[in-house]
Amino acid sequence: MSPQQTIAHYRVTGKLGDGGMGAVYRATDTKLNRDVAIKVLPDSFAKDPDRLARFTREAQVLASLNHSNIAAIYGVEERAIVLKLVEGPNLAGPLSEEQTIPIIHQLIDALEYAHEHGVIHRDLKPANIKIDPDGKLKLLDFGLARAAETTQVPSSPLADSPTMTFAMSMPGVILGTVGYMSPEQARGGRVDHRTDIWAFGVDILASVLKSDVDLTKVPARFRPLIGRCLTRDVKHRLGWIGEACLLLDPPPETAVPKSRYTTAAAITALALVAGLAIWKFAPPPADPGLPAFVRQVGRACSSWI
């Protein structure tokens, strides 16, 4: 599209870039007098029912996600998705540790939210991450996203383009970008939220290094996290993106239990000890002013004395 062309009440003012599912343009919303981004499906794609369905799915995925670190959708027009315009550069390194930490935490929040809502991004890379002038991270381009389910995908040779395609029962399904694909994604295996965790680890490397991957050159603070993200065996990879915070900022051993299971065990043990002490030193009738659950624990403990 050229400048001054219109889609509904949006006037195109320039091109921002190209994505796997269409070109993205800067435009003016002439009704609300604001700048927006518009992703437009090419004519050739519009004639392909499968690509049209995936384009529609992207709009539906974005509409289902409401998070400050995920670029918002404003609406849908014919063959076009209207998005919040995110100013600022794409994520690029190398960055200092002080610069990297807040970015990592924001990306963790965005991915955890998406995964909790059943969405796998599948094309996580610096080109799909922007940092606005206020330092706020925005995760973009859910055009390759899918519902979090495991589906066996037959493999095929790599395509020549930076974005790879595998033969499927639905022809031309785009799976991701070379260099950021997890091993299971690249070989056409089963894919779940852990494929985003692999790409997350690669993104961190891209932020702190410009040379080949060598964890000895990575700041010590990031090594445990990157090591768990870039484990080729998906069963040994970080299981949930929220756990990344514990590897990045581990709690003091004596201050915070290591897991919710440890927390639950500690609470249970304290409650039992409290109940036992109350029963031995304040035998029945129990003080009615005590919380009911403490009185119940005390009664349960009486059978062990």
Side-chain angles (χ1 to χ4, degrees), residues 107-118 240-243 245:
L107 185 54
I108 290 171
D109 286 347
L111 287 174
E112 185 171 34
Y113 178 88
H115 292 170
E116 286 176 346
H117 286 74
W240 190 252
I241 190 64
E243 298 172 12
C245 291

Side-chain angles (χ1 to χ4, degrees), residues 169-198:
S169 57
M170 291 177 58
V173 173
I174 302 170
L175 294 183
T177 300
V178 173
Y180 293 89
M181 281 183 165
S182 64
E184 65 273 15
Q185 190 176 6
R187 65 173 176 261
R190 292 182 181 274
V191 171
D192 60 21
H193 63 278
R194 290 170 292 185
T195 199
D196 284 347
I197 291 175
W198 172 280

Side-chain angles (χ1 to χ4, degrees), residues 10 38 96-97 138 140 146 184 210 212 282:
Y10 300 97
I38 295 185
S96 67
E97 183 172 322
K138 296 289 185 180
L140 313 173
R146 61 171 295 170
E184 65 273 15
K210 279 195 171 179
D212 293 336

Side-chain angles (χ1 to χ4, degrees), residues 66-296:
N66 181 19
H67 191 275
S68 60
N69 294 121
I70 296 176
I73 183 172
Y74 287 156
V76 178
E77 300 294 339
E78 185 179 359
R79 296 195 296 111
I81 300 174
V82 184
L83 305 162
K84 178 181 176 65
L85 178 66
V86 182
E87 304 282 9
N90 295 112
L91 179 63
L95 303 174
S96 67
E97 183 172 322
E98 291 73 20
Q99 292 172 310
T100 304
I101 295 299
I103 290 173
I104 291 175
H105 278 293
Q106 292 181 76
L107 185 54
I108 290 171
D109 286 347
L111 287 174
E112 185 171 34
Y113 178 88
H115 292 170
E116 286 176 346
H117 286 74
V119 175
I120 307 167
H121 190 282
R122 295 207 303 172
D123 199 20
L124 188 63
K125 57 185 178 182
N128 287 336
I129 300 170
K130 275 189 175 290
I131 309 298
D132 73 15
D134 296 324
K136 190 82 169 179
L137 177 144
K138 296 289 185 180
L139 183 55
L140 313 173
D141 201 346
F142 280 75
L144 309 188
R146 61 171 295 170
E149 60 182 5
T150 56
T151 303
Q152 185 66 38
V153 181
S155 61
S156 76
L158 305 185
D160 294 331
S161 64
T163 301
M164 291 165 50
T165 303
F166 290 91
M168 295 181 63
S169 57
M170 291 177 58
V173 173
I174 302 170
L175 294 183
T177 300
V178 173
Y180 293 89
M181 281 183 165
S182 64
E184 65 273 15
Q185 190 176 6
R187 65 173 176 261
R190 292 182 181 274
V191 171
D192 60 21
H193 63 278
R194 290 170 292 185
T195 199
D196 284 347
I197 291 175
W198 172 280
F200 169 80
V202 178
D203 277 332
I204 297 173
L205 279 176
S207 297
V208 298
L209 287 178
K210 279 195 171 179
S211 57
D212 293 336
V213 175
D214 181 354
L215 289 184
T216 63
K217 297 179 181 178
V218 176
R221 183 174 185 176
F222 300 114
R223 290 175 199 165
L225 175 57
I226 294 174
R228 287 294 307 280
C229 290
L230 299 185
T231 300
R232 297 186 66 82
D233 187 339
V234 67
K235 295 189 295 296
H236 298 149
R237 198 175 303 155
L238 198 66
W240 190 252
I241 190 64
E243 298 172 12
C245 291
L246 295 178
L247 293 173
L248 190 62
D249 302 304
E253 289 280 342
T254 57
V256 181
K258 292 183 178 179
S259 72
R260 64 179 183 273
Y261 304 109
T262 306
T263 303
I267 292 172
T268 302
L270 286 173
L272 289 175
V273 170
L276 182 59
I278 289 168
W279 189 264
K280 292 188 71 174
F281 295 105
D287 183 352
L290 291 173
F293 98 93
V294 173
R295 296 202 302 273
Q296 292 167 0

